[in-house]
Structure formats: C-alpha cells, structure tokens
Amino acid sequence: MKRFTIAHISDIHLPLESIQFPKLSLVNKRFLSFLSWKKRRLSLQKKRLDIIIDDISRESPDLLLISGDLTNLALPEEFKQAADWLHHLPFKNINIIPGNHDALVKTQWHNSYAFWSPWSQAYNHDDYPIITRYGSIAVIGINTAVPTPPFFANGQVGNYQLNQIRYALQRLKKDNLFRIVILHHPPVSGIVSERKALKDRKKLQKILYEEGVEIILFGHVHRTITRKFLNTNIPMLGIASASSNSNRPYHQAAWRKIVIEKLDDHFHTFSTVRFIDKNGDFSQTHSFYIDHYFQ
C-alpha cells in the first residue's frame, strides 16, 4: 500500500450570520445556546477555517475526517449550509460524524442528518457505527451526539453501538487492517467536566482496551491533545477547532496530519499538528512516529 494521508479537523461551527432562519426556531435550549454563541462568535472565525482548508489542500490528503460540531444550534438551515460547504471542499474522500451541537435538540432525520449522508454514509440513526474501508485502513465512526438538557453537553454511545464496535474491531483485526476510531467526545475521564463528558465512556474504554485499536481521534474540547489511551501505547488524539481565533497554546486553529504506510509486517505511522500561530503563519507541533505490528 502506498502512503495514505489523513487530515483530521473538528468543531467547525460554521457561522450563523450567513444563513437566515425563523426566529421562532430559537426556543428551549436553542435560545440559551444562541445567547452563548453571541458571546463567543468572535472566537470562531470562518476566515481561520478557510486558511486551514487551504493548507490541507496543499498536502492533498487521501481522506478528510471531521469529528463533529459543524453547526451551532442544529437548525435545519445549518445542516443545509454544512452540506453545501462539504460539497465544495476539494477532497476526494470526506468522512464525518456528528457532535453535540449537531444534536442540540431532538430533530427529524430528513431535516438534519439526511443532508450529510453523502459524507457520513449514515441513512438513519441506527446505521452507527459506520465502518468505512480505504484499502488497508478502516475508519470506525461512532455517534456520541445526543440531545441533552440545558447547560449540559454530554455524549452517549449506547448499547447497540457498543456491541457493534466490539464486533467490528474483532473482524477488522483479523483482516490486518489499520483501525481508526473517531468520535466527538473524548473516551476517557479528566479532559472535560462531567457535564460535558461521555456518559458510558467506561463501557467504551473496556471494549477499546480489550479489542485494541490503532488510533483514536476526537474533538469536542477545542484543544489539541496528544496522549496515550489509558495505560496502552494507543495514540488518543484531540484537535482544536479549525475555526478557532485563539492565540493560546493548543487552542489555535489547527489540523492533524496522519501518514500511514503498510510494510511487510507492520504499519508505520507519522502524525503532526499544523496550527496557525500568533503571526498568522503555520507551525508544527505534537509530532510523533509509531509502528503497529500485525498480531
């Protein structure tokens, strides 16, 4: 297999200013989130996202992965806006999963996620987890996005997905595939507060620990994170918002580049993060190499 390059971005939060929607849509939790968006809208800028996309384009990745939160309020108009944005991206393969903002309130499938089916490969809620193969690479897309009460941003995998994830990891391992798990919420404790955490993370941790996985990708926290999953050598990688206007370390707009090469008895992986520094230039950080041997 030739080198396979992946670009990972997250928490796009496409701008509300560019769409029109009925003000009556701003009821219940949407109204509170709208007030929150008005306070922080300058911290997320479309121009930063455009710069990130241009930089990714120059690298010509084989796959773009997006780990959720393309919207702010889960409005139908936002789902349509995101679909139009995805349609015009210059990438051959795009794979997305939803985030908590995309499930801010309960929505009807045809008025929300259906617009994203060409990129999620999901045609109803029960389709998750989505398993997508790219040669020797397998992406396991987990949906952790569920509606929550005001002031909460929890995620949940659910028993059906948990069972399917275990089975998929076992099957893909037998085929000697490089398994990438992508979800919106971090799968461990201590990264976000409990009101924003994944509720059934311990159940998911048990599966990932027992069955193994080559890389775990997540978003949600608007911060670039590079660490190991529990007491394993599995890279657990979070990425800051691609729209971030922050200059704080690890919070700058960024994308993660992952290059995977299949050799005779193992996969060789290189990962680095490209971010927009305070001068408006790109810098790199969080770089590492790792080898994954077949078992």
Side-chain angles (χ1 to χ4, degrees):
M1 181 187 81
K2 70 177 182 68
R3 290 184 176 183
F4 191 88
T5 301
I6 296 171
H8 173 217
I9 60 175
S10 194
D11 299 86
I12 308 302
H13 295 291
L14 291 170
L16 276 173
E17 299 97 329
S18 58
I19 62 172
Q20 293 184 344
F21 56 90
K23 294 300 181 281
L24 290 177
S25 300
L26 300 180
V27 295
N28 52 54
K29 189 177 180 180
R30 277 190 179 134
F31 178 70
L32 296 174
S33 293
F34 178 72
L35 295 179
S36 175
W37 169 82
K38 289 187 71 173
K39 289 181 179 180
R40 63 179 175 82
R41 65 183 184 274
L42 295 180
S43 66
L44 298 170
Q45 294 288 305
K46 177 65 161 51
K47 62 183 179 181
R48 305 287 273 191
L49 174 61
D50 293 339
I51 294 171
I52 290 289
I53 293 299
D54 286 344
D55 191 60
I56 296 174
S57 298
R58 285 190 284 272
E59 297 287 334
S60 300
D62 299 291
L63 173 64
L64 175 69
L65 293 176
I66 307 176
S67 51
D69 275 6
L70 282 76
T71 73
N72 298 279
L73 309 179
L75 293 164
E77 294 80 5
E78 288 186 286
F79 282 97
K80 293 176 184 177
Q81 174 186 231
D84 183 67
W85 179 76
L86 289 164
H87 178 72
H88 287 92
L89 289 179
F91 307 112
K92 180 180 178 181
N93 296 304
I94 301 173
N95 191 316
I96 70 172
I97 56 166
N100 62 288
H101 276 268
D102 307 319
L104 196 71
V105 298
K106 187 175 182 179
T107 59
Q108 295 179 315
W109 183 271
H110 74 274
N111 231 4
S112 55
Y113 300 114
F115 295 111
W116 297 356
S117 291
W119 305 279
S120 68
Q121 303 304 312
Y123 295 90
N124 62 66
H125 289 291
D126 295 332
D127 283 346
Y128 290 98
I130 300 293
I131 316 300
T132 313
R133 297 191 184 197
Y134 305 92
S136 298
I137 314 295
V139 177
I140 301 101
I142 301 173
N143 182 8
T144 63
V146 292
T148 57
F151 308 112
F152 286 83
N154 296 110
Q156 187 162 359
V157 180
N159 289 332
Y160 175 78
Q161 278 197 95
L162 289 167
N163 291 333
Q164 294 300 310
I165 291 164
R166 182 183 290 277
Y167 173 71
L169 290 172
Q170 292 173 348
R171 186 177 76 249
L172 297 170
K173 183 179 180 180
K174 290 180 181 179
D175 293 338
N176 282 333
L177 296 183
F178 190 98
R179 300 161 300 171
I180 299 173
V181 162
I182 182 169
L183 68 167
H184 183 67
H185 294 76
V188 298
S189 303
I191 294 179
V192 293
S193 64
E194 195 59 34
R195 71 180 183 88
K196 296 182 178 181
L198 187 64
K199 286 186 175 181
D200 47 2
R201 59 189 178 275
K202 290 185 178 180
K203 292 181 179 179
L204 178 61
Q205 288 170 17
K206 186 174 187 294
I207 293 169
L208 298 179
Y209 184 83
E210 292 176 351
E211 305 302 338
V213 61
E214 279 58 64
I215 285 180
I216 301 169
L217 301 176
F218 64 92
H220 190 47
V221 298
H222 289 222
R223 187 169 80 249
T224 295
I225 296 172
T226 301
R227 63 175 64 175
K228 294 178 180 179
F229 172 68
L230 301 180
N231 57 336
T232 72
N233 286 321
I234 299 170
M236 186 179 67
L237 312 173
I239 195 69
S241 167
S243 301
S244 173
N245 201 32
S246 175
N247 286 321
R248 286 192 297 158
Y250 310 124
H251 291 78
Q252 306 102 318
W255 68 280
R256 188 181 293 272
K257 177 182 178 181
I258 303 169
V259 181
I260 304 165
E261 184 176 10
K262 185 178 182 181
L263 303 175
D264 291 339
D265 61 348
H266 70 283
F267 289 99
H268 181 68
T269 307
F270 168 73
S271 175
T272 192
V273 172
R274 290 179 58 79
F275 68 94
I276 304 174
D277 62 26
K278 62 182 180 181
N279 298 317
D281 299 319
F282 273 91
S283 297
Q284 291 194 171
T285 186
H286 290 248
S287 300
F288 67 88
Y289 291 91
I290 189 169
D291 290 319
H292 307 265
Y293 285 86
F294 306 149
Q295 295 182 0

